[in-house]
Amino acid sequence: MSNLNLTCKILVLGAVVLGMAKTAIAQDKPAVVYSARIDSSTGRIFLKRPDWSNFRPVSVGTELNQGDQIKPDKGVRVRVVCPNLSKPFVPIGVPSGLKTICPVWQAIISKAPPPAGTLGGTNPLIPYLITPRHTLLLNNTPTFRWNAIPKATQYTVTLQSPTGIVWQKQVKNNSLVYPGLPRLQPGTNYSLVIKANTGKTSQDEGTSNLDFSVLRKSEATAIQSEVTKITKLGLNEQVTALMLANFYSRYTLPQDAIQAYGLTTDTFKSYNLSADAIATLETLVKKGKRSTIIYRSLGDIYWQTGLAQKAVDNYLAAIKLAKSDEDLEEKILAQFALGEVYAATDDNKQAISWYSQAKNGYTLLGDSRRANFLQQQIESLEQQ
């Protein structure tokens, strides 16, 4: 596929994401925005989205929206965390509107699919970069990760800046922690080149927009202040991780800071803290906290960075774990996302298959608007 066609397809899918998003209102100036979630429950919880025909069971961690209604089972105590980080309990045994439970709501800017020049991660024979990949960083000692390729026993990792090579190291594994020296300069655009002793390099991927920058102290301090707010809430461990990951992945630089990072008003919104978001959720997975919502969220963030296969792997893991009625919506979201990935990478057969499964799921929820939308997408792909 040509770069132009790929860019156009990604932009179309970006419109799809925004059209399907729960809340997607652009703002002139970025603000700290949190999602609402179910934090704890002593039993079954039922939720009704505005487009659903009836109440459906959902699980702890489910993201909530202003127009939703929530109904705990008889005698069940449910607590939610609101966008203003208050933690009210839900009235027991009766339907309640989220707008009443959480009176303060803000618009959430939904992130679009990967920016042009970042889509890759599909060739297992290339040591493509996994992280940091088109992202901002909170600290000077990031973990560098790349795809391990067959028969490679050594990799040369080269860190570059616009003025040349900054640092180089040879390693046997497919990850390492940057030692911190030379010190990464805030606002400087860095890039990594990984070369295997088989001759394959990360540049074989053909991507051109994988640079990363360390945040200045002013932005990093402001972010850490918000992170502290979340971690001190005393939420469910999974919910805390989801809140942090969403905050990181939705972060956008303030308008008055973008020139300091060499970005433009057209590109700065595509940079976030995806590396920190991924690390937050993968740390939870390593601790044994595996769930449909965690893997689906990881898939979203990997797709946001352009890593198609990593996104697919996590979406499939989410679907595999979806065993109960409470996981139905998350399963549908993963199916829809798989359709997006395959449509963007020109695998229309797979895209149609996953869109069809998502459509059936939305039909089951009684969400005719999204089911009809997906039917249109399917018909469009069938005509190609």
Side-chain angles (χ1 to χ4, degrees), residues 266-280:
D266 294 328
T267 62
F268 83 99
K269 289 183 180 179
S270 68
Y271 288 84
N272 49 71
L273 293 162
S274 59
D276 290 280
I278 289 168
T280 298

Side-chain angles (χ1 to χ4, degrees), residues 27-346:
Q27 297 173 325
D28 292 333
K29 185 175 182 179
V32 177
V33 179
Y34 300 107
S35 57
R37 290 185 184 273
I38 298 172
D39 173 53
S40 64
S41 175
T42 60
R44 297 196 86 192
I45 320 155
F46 296 86
L47 187 71
K48 185 181 182 301
R49 309 280 192 196
D51 290 323
W52 294 2
S53 60
N54 210 337
F55 282 88
R56 299 286 307 189
V58 292
S59 62
V60 168
T62 297
E63 191 168 3
L64 303 170
N65 306 296
Q66 188 174 7
D68 296 341
Q69 294 182 64
I70 189 169
K71 183 176 68 173
D73 214 350
K74 186 177 179 180
V76 171
R77 192 72 164 156
V78 176
R79 187 177 75 174
V80 303
V81 55
C82 295
N84 66 352
L85 302 185
S86 62
K87 300 178 292 181
F89 283 95
V90 176
I92 297 175
V94 296
S96 300
L98 263 297
K99 186 176 181 180
T100 301
I101 297 169
C102 300
V104 179
W105 292 83
Q106 295 171 291
I108 292 177
I109 303 173
S110 294
K111 290 290 183 180
T118 64
L119 185 57
T122 57
N123 189 338
L125 302 180
I126 294 174
Y128 56 78
L129 183 64
I130 295 175
T131 186
R133 185 182 177 99
H134 193 81
T135 186
L136 302 169
L137 296 173
L138 276 172
N139 64 67
N140 279 282
T141 56
T143 297
F144 300 152
R145 287 198 298 148
W146 56 92
N147 179 52
I149 65 172
K151 298 183 180 180
T153 58
Q154 185 172 278
Y155 302 91
T156 300
V157 182
T158 303
L159 176 66
Q160 301 177 154
S161 74
T163 59
I165 295 176
V166 175
W167 175 84
Q168 195 172 70
K169 186 175 178 63
Q170 292 183 334
V171 295
K172 294 180 179 180
N173 299 320
N174 65 320
S175 70
L176 79 158
V177 177
Y178 182 65
L181 292 174
R183 185 175 177 82
L184 301 180
Q185 297 302 309
T188 298
N189 292 327
Y190 294 97
S191 61
L192 280 175
V193 176
I194 314 298
K195 183 175 182 179
N197 59 353
T198 61
K200 294 289 186 180
T201 81
S202 56
Q203 293 176 314
D204 294 337
E205 188 179 26
T207 49
S208 59
N209 196 13
L210 303 186
D211 58 307
F212 57 91
S213 298
V214 175
L215 288 173
R216 300 182 304 177
K217 184 177 180 180
S218 53
E219 282 80 49
T221 299
I223 289 168
Q224 189 55 54
S225 175
E226 299 303 322
V227 169
T228 300
K229 288 180 185 178
I230 296 173
T231 56
K232 287 187 174 181
L233 286 172
L235 303 174
N236 173 292
E237 185 178 19
Q238 175 176 270
V239 174
T240 296
L242 288 167
M243 294 282 287
L244 286 172
N246 271 12
F247 169 63
Y248 289 143
S249 66
R250 290 169 175 166
Y251 174 78
T252 306
L253 284 168
Q255 285 271 6
D256 58 7
I258 62 176
Q259 288 187 349
Y261 292 86
L263 303 175
T264 68
T265 54
D266 294 328
T267 62
F268 83 99
K269 289 183 180 179
S270 68
Y271 288 84
N272 49 71
L273 293 162
S274 59
D276 290 280
I278 289 168
T280 298
L281 294 180
E282 290 192 338
T283 297
L284 199 66
V285 170
K286 289 176 183 177
K287 293 167 66 174
K289 305 289 184 179
R290 297 177 176 88
S291 67
T292 298
I293 192 170
I294 290 293
Y295 280 111
R296 196 270 303 167
S297 298
L298 264 172
D300 286 349
I301 300 167
Y302 272 122
W303 179 228
Q304 188 177 311
T305 66
L307 285 167
Q309 190 57 52
K310 293 288 286 185
V312 167
D313 291 345
N314 281 280
Y315 290 138
L316 291 174
I319 292 169
K320 185 176 180 179
L321 285 172
K323 303 294 186 182
S324 66
D325 290 342
E326 287 84 355
D327 295 326
L328 177 60
E329 184 188 28
E330 288 297 328
K331 179 180 179 180
I332 295 168
L333 289 171
Q335 291 168 336
F336 169 70
L338 282 167
E340 286 188 290
V341 174
Y342 283 117
T345 53
D346 273 350

Side-chain angles (χ1 to χ4, degrees), residues 5-17:
N5 288 339
L6 180 56
T7 301
C8 291
K9 180 160 277 192
I10 288 176
L11 290 174
V12 169
L13 287 171
V16 171
V17 171

